[in-house]
Amino acid sequence: MVQNDKFAFIESALTERVQSQRLRSLQPLQPIDAVHVVRSGQVLLNFSSNDYLGLSKHPTLIAAAQQYTEQYGTGATASRLVSGTYEIHQNLEEKLALACGREAALLFNSGFQANSTILAALLDRQSLVLCDRYVHNSLLQGILASGARFKRYAHNDLHQLEAGLQQAQQTFSRILIATETVFSMDGDRCDLDALIDLADRYGAILYLDDAHAVGVLGQDGMGLAAHRAGVDLVIGTFGKAFGTFGAFVTCSRKLRDYLINYCPGFIYTTALPPAVIGAIEAALFLMPTLEAERQFLIQQSNHLRTRLQSFGYDTGASGTQIIPVILGAEEKTLSLSGWLEQQGILATAIRPPTVAAGTARIRLALSSCHTPEHLDRLIGAIQTWSIL
């Protein structure tokens, strides 16, 4: 008896990716400093990192990580509900809640884990979710895992969102609005005031992913949703402007208690290790002192956007440190990315399925550690490519 290859589907899937020129692979690199890396022996100026304030190489964070490792060990050794809640975890959560102007905070091991498991814990099959079409895949995974009914409204189209809310006045167990504050692939923002108003008027839970704003925008850099009444849950991450690892949710004390008891992604995973907690503590301590760096980052972003637009490039509705150069065609996008690498610049091509078909782009992510000379180098390289 001849048996079928039980992994034939893998060969088929990978072949499809090869044929469509969308096969992804890992390309290891070695970081040098906040904005330079080495890949395949070549030093590259990095415009693809989310280390928006350069804190991943900050000596205060490194020292804190080393100190916490020496004092508490290399791992938390258990889940939070067993024996993995050290005082340092609880103290950090209290400081995060205070910094964000919220009642409570709860640590998670990653932004993807937080979104994919918190939403699944909040919703059931009788729930309705209305989410922006451009939300991160992690939010979609959480919604799908819940079994809730969901509709995606056009990007930042609050008229369509309100129409969905009006049509939803039936027997749903709960209604939830999910969106990002700063969109990860487009660098534009949601209309937070309008979302708060809609959630209040229609009795909807407002769930915001603030990952790309935390550290960069808002009061003391704690995000666009910090200190905002009317927002029910906010997800923040430490792997971007905080320069370390992990995530958190801020919410009411009652919601925190609920998640501790009903959120599988929190209950059944080992707590963040002490070194990570130490680095986060150090970053949180520094945040109020980094206003000059945030302002410089905004100025640099505005300058780069203006120059790119002067060359005729489409940067979408970006108004933050994330600047897409939307080229549309995948071949063209790969060509520019390859050219920039030849010039010693890392600027990764972002293609479907990460972004919608016909919107392939170079996603430029700026850091406050990028100097004017770094930007001039990038601008010059793109300008040269434009006339080749």
mmCIF file of all heavy atoms in Angstrom, residues 125-145:
data_model
loop_
_atom_site.group_PDB
_atom_site.id
_atom_site.type_symbol
_atom_site.label_atom_id
_atom_site.label_comp_id
_atom_site.label_asym_id
_atom_site.label_seq_id
_atom_site.Cartn_x
_atom_site.Cartn_y
_atom_site.Cartn_z
ATOM 1 N N ARG A 125 -19.204 33.931 21.142
ATOM 2 C CA ARG A 125 -19.839 33.760 19.827
ATOM 3 C C ARG A 125 -21.052 34.659 19.630
ATOM 4 O O ARG A 125 -21.547 34.804 18.520
ATOM 5 C CB ARG A 125 -20.233 32.290 19.631
ATOM 6 C CG ARG A 125 -19.027 31.368 19.527
ATOM 7 C CD ARG A 125 -19.422 29.924 19.251
ATOM 8 N NE ARG A 125 -18.244 29.082 19.188
ATOM 9 C CZ ARG A 125 -17.482 28.925 18.102
ATOM 10 N NH1 ARG A 125 -17.797 29.577 16.991
ATOM 11 N NH2 ARG A 125 -16.421 28.142 18.133
ATOM 12 N N GLN A 126 -21.526 35.260 20.687
ATOM 13 C CA GLN A 126 -22.664 36.178 20.584
ATOM 14 C C GLN A 126 -22.213 37.642 20.533
ATOM 15 O O GLN A 126 -23.031 38.557 20.575
ATOM 16 C CB GLN A 126 -23.624 35.982 21.777
ATOM 17 C CG GLN A 126 -24.431 34.693 21.729
ATOM 18 C CD GLN A 126 -23.606 33.456 21.994
ATOM 19 O OE1 GLN A 126 -22.867 33.401 22.990
ATOM 20 N NE2 GLN A 126 -23.721 32.460 21.122
ATOM 21 N N SER A 127 -20.894 37.851 20.425
ATOM 22 C CA SER A 127 -20.340 39.206 20.390
ATOM 23 C C SER A 127 -20.204 39.704 18.951
ATOM 24 O O SER A 127 -20.163 38.918 18.006
ATOM 25 C CB SER A 127 -18.956 39.236 21.046
ATOM 26 O OG SER A 127 -18.995 38.768 22.375
ATOM 27 N N LEU A 128 -20.086 41.019 18.829
ATOM 28 C CA LEU A 128 -19.809 41.653 17.544
ATOM 29 C C LEU A 128 -18.572 42.529 17.695
ATOM 30 O O LEU A 128 -18.458 43.298 18.645
ATOM 31 C CB LEU A 128 -20.987 42.522 17.092
ATOM 32 C CG LEU A 128 -20.737 43.392 15.850
ATOM 33 C CD1 LEU A 128 -20.568 42.525 14.595
ATOM 34 C CD2 LEU A 128 -21.857 44.411 15.657
ATOM 35 N N VAL A 129 -17.644 42.390 16.741
ATOM 36 C CA VAL A 129 -16.460 43.235 16.713
ATOM 37 C C VAL A 129 -16.465 44.054 15.429
ATOM 38 O O VAL A 129 -16.686 43.518 14.341
ATOM 39 C CB VAL A 129 -15.160 42.402 16.762
ATOM 40 C CG1 VAL A 129 -13.944 43.331 16.782
ATOM 41 C CG2 VAL A 129 -15.154 41.496 17.976
ATOM 42 N N LEU A 130 -16.222 45.344 15.581
ATOM 43 C CA LEU A 130 -16.037 46.234 14.435
ATOM 44 C C LEU A 130 -14.587 46.705 14.483
ATOM 45 O O LEU A 130 -14.177 47.348 15.460
ATOM 46 C CB LEU A 130 -16.995 47.416 14.511
ATOM 47 C CG LEU A 130 -18.488 47.039 14.467
ATOM 48 C CD1 LEU A 130 -19.346 48.211 14.887
ATOM 49 C CD2 LEU A 130 -18.873 46.568 13.075
ATOM 50 N N CYS A 131 -13.804 46.357 13.463
ATOM 51 C CA CYS A 131 -12.386 46.695 13.508
ATOM 52 C C CYS A 131 -11.949 47.361 12.212
ATOM 53 O O CYS A 131 -12.493 47.089 11.134
ATOM 54 C CB CYS A 131 -11.531 45.462 13.790
ATOM 55 S SG CYS A 131 -11.554 44.211 12.506
ATOM 56 N N ASP A 132 -10.966 48.245 12.354
ATOM 57 C CA ASP A 132 -10.396 48.928 11.199
ATOM 58 C C ASP A 132 -9.771 47.900 10.256
ATOM 59 O O ASP A 132 -9.147 46.931 10.692
ATOM 60 C CB ASP A 132 -9.325 49.917 11.671
ATOM 61 C CG ASP A 132 -8.864 50.849 10.574
ATOM 62 O OD1 ASP A 132 -8.179 50.371 9.640
ATOM 63 O OD2 ASP A 132 -9.174 52.056 10.628
ATOM 64 N N ARG A 133 -9.908 48.113 8.965
ATOM 65 C CA ARG A 133 -9.399 47.157 7.981
ATOM 66 C C ARG A 133 -7.888 47.007 8.049
ATOM 67 O O ARG A 133 -7.342 45.987 7.629
ATOM 68 C CB ARG A 133 -9.817 47.582 6.576
ATOM 69 C CG ARG A 133 -9.411 46.622 5.468
ATOM 70 C CD ARG A 133 -10.191 46.814 4.219
ATOM 71 N NE ARG A 133 -11.593 46.449 4.382
ATOM 72 C CZ ARG A 133 -12.044 45.193 4.331
ATOM 73 N NH1 ARG A 133 -11.215 44.186 4.130
ATOM 74 N NH2 ARG A 133 -13.321 44.944 4.483
ATOM 75 N N TYR A 134 -7.188 47.973 8.605
ATOM 76 C CA TYR A 134 -5.727 47.911 8.630
ATOM 77 C C TYR A 134 -5.158 47.420 9.958
ATOM 78 O O TYR A 134 -3.957 47.551 10.182
ATOM 79 C CB TYR A 134 -5.146 49.292 8.331
ATOM 80 C CG TYR A 134 -5.203 49.705 6.872
ATOM 81 C CD1 TYR A 134 -5.871 48.945 5.923
ATOM 82 C CD2 TYR A 134 -4.597 50.888 6.445
ATOM 83 C CE1 TYR A 134 -5.936 49.336 4.599
ATOM 84 C CE2 TYR A 134 -4.652 51.288 5.121
ATOM 85 C CZ TYR A 134 -5.326 50.511 4.199
ATOM 86 O OH TYR A 134 -5.378 50.915 2.896
ATOM 87 N N VAL A 135 -5.990 46.869 10.843
ATOM 88 C CA VAL A 135 -5.440 46.444 12.130
ATOM 89 C C VAL A 135 -4.434 45.311 11.952
ATOM 90 O O VAL A 135 -4.490 44.545 11.000
ATOM 91 C CB VAL A 135 -6.541 46.008 13.129
ATOM 92 C CG1 VAL A 135 -7.435 47.156 13.498
ATOM 93 C CG2 VAL A 135 -7.318 44.808 12.613
ATOM 94 N N HIS A 136 -3.551 45.203 12.916
ATOM 95 C CA HIS A 136 -2.497 44.200 12.900
ATOM 96 C C HIS A 136 -3.084 42.792 12.943
ATOM 97 O O HIS A 136 -4.142 42.554 13.527
ATOM 98 C CB HIS A 136 -1.590 44.420 14.116
ATOM 99 C CG HIS A 136 -0.316 43.650 14.067
ATOM 100 N ND1 HIS A 136 -0.183 42.402 14.631
ATOM 101 C CD2 HIS A 136 0.901 43.941 13.519
ATOM 102 C CE1 HIS A 136 1.049 41.962 14.446
ATOM 103 N NE2 HIS A 136 1.724 42.874 13.770
ATOM 104 N N ASN A 137 -2.352 41.858 12.346
ATOM 105 C CA ASN A 137 -2.810 40.469 12.285
ATOM 106 C C ASN A 137 -3.088 39.878 13.655
ATOM 107 O O ASN A 137 -3.976 39.025 13.804
ATOM 108 C CB ASN A 137 -1.765 39.628 11.549
ATOM 109 C CG ASN A 137 -2.178 38.176 11.409
ATOM 110 O OD1 ASN A 137 -1.841 37.343 12.248
ATOM 111 N ND2 ASN A 137 -2.915 37.875 10.352
ATOM 112 N N SER A 138 -2.379 40.317 14.680
ATOM 113 C CA SER A 138 -2.579 39.766 16.019
ATOM 114 C C SER A 138 -3.985 40.039 16.540
ATOM 115 O O SER A 138 -4.568 39.203 17.238
ATOM 116 C CB SER A 138 -1.550 40.340 16.996
ATOM 117 O OG SER A 138 -1.606 41.751 17.022
ATOM 118 N N LEU A 139 -4.553 41.201 16.200
ATOM 119 C CA LEU A 139 -5.932 41.498 16.596
ATOM 120 C C LEU A 139 -6.905 40.579 15.869
ATOM 121 O O LEU A 139 -7.852 40.063 16.472
ATOM 122 C CB LEU A 139 -6.283 42.963 16.332
ATOM 123 C CG LEU A 139 -5.747 43.983 17.332
ATOM 124 C CD1 LEU A 139 -4.341 44.416 16.968
ATOM 125 C CD2 LEU A 139 -6.654 45.195 17.424
ATOM 126 N N LEU A 140 -6.655 40.364 14.592
ATOM 127 C CA LEU A 140 -7.534 39.470 13.825
ATOM 128 C C LEU A 140 -7.488 38.054 14.386
ATOM 129 O O LEU A 140 -8.518 37.378 14.465
ATOM 130 C CB LEU A 140 -7.123 39.468 12.353
ATOM 131 C CG LEU A 140 -7.243 40.794 11.606
ATOM 132 C CD1 LEU A 140 -6.777 40.628 10.164
ATOM 133 C CD2 LEU A 140 -8.675 41.312 11.635
ATOM 134 N N GLN A 141 -6.317 37.603 14.778
ATOM 135 C CA GLN A 141 -6.206 36.249 15.342
ATOM 136 C C GLN A 141 -7.018 36.127 16.628
ATOM 137 O O GLN A 141 -7.660 35.106 16.877
ATOM 138 C CB GLN A 141 -4.732 35.911 15.598
ATOM 139 C CG GLN A 141 -3.880 35.805 14.349
ATOM 140 C CD GLN A 141 -4.375 34.752 13.370
ATOM 141 O OE1 GLN A 141 -4.819 33.681 13.766
ATOM 142 N NE2 GLN A 141 -4.306 35.059 12.086
ATOM 143 N N GLY A 142 -6.973 37.162 17.461
ATOM 144 C CA GLY A 142 -7.753 37.125 18.696
ATOM 145 C C GLY A 142 -9.240 37.115 18.432
ATOM 146 O O GLY A 142 -10.002 36.395 19.087
ATOM 147 N N ILE A 143 -9.672 37.920 17.458
ATOM 148 C CA ILE A 143 -11.099 37.973 17.107
ATOM 149 C C ILE A 143 -11.556 36.632 16.557
ATOM 150 O O ILE A 143 -12.603 36.096 16.953
ATOM 151 C CB ILE A 143 -11.363 39.103 16.100
ATOM 152 C CG1 ILE A 143 -11.060 40.465 16.738
ATOM 153 C CG2 ILE A 143 -12.810 39.065 15.617
ATOM 154 C CD1 ILE A 143 -10.948 41.597 15.730
ATOM 155 N N LEU A 144 -10.769 36.068 15.647
ATOM 156 C CA LEU A 144 -11.127 34.776 15.049
ATOM 157 C C LEU A 144 -11.179 33.673 16.097
ATOM 158 O O LEU A 144 -12.065 32.811 16.062
ATOM 159 C CB LEU A 144 -10.134 34.413 13.943
ATOM 160 C CG LEU A 144 -10.190 35.289 12.677
ATOM 161 C CD1 LEU A 144 -9.003 34.998 11.773
ATOM 162 C CD2 LEU A 144 -11.495 35.053 11.922
ATOM 163 N N ALA A 145 -10.233 33.692 17.034
ATOM 164 C CA ALA A 145 -10.204 32.668 18.082
ATOM 165 C C ALA A 145 -11.434 32.737 18.975
ATOM 166 O O ALA A 145 -11.867 31.728 19.540
ATOM 167 C CB ALA A 145 -8.935 32.816 18.921
#
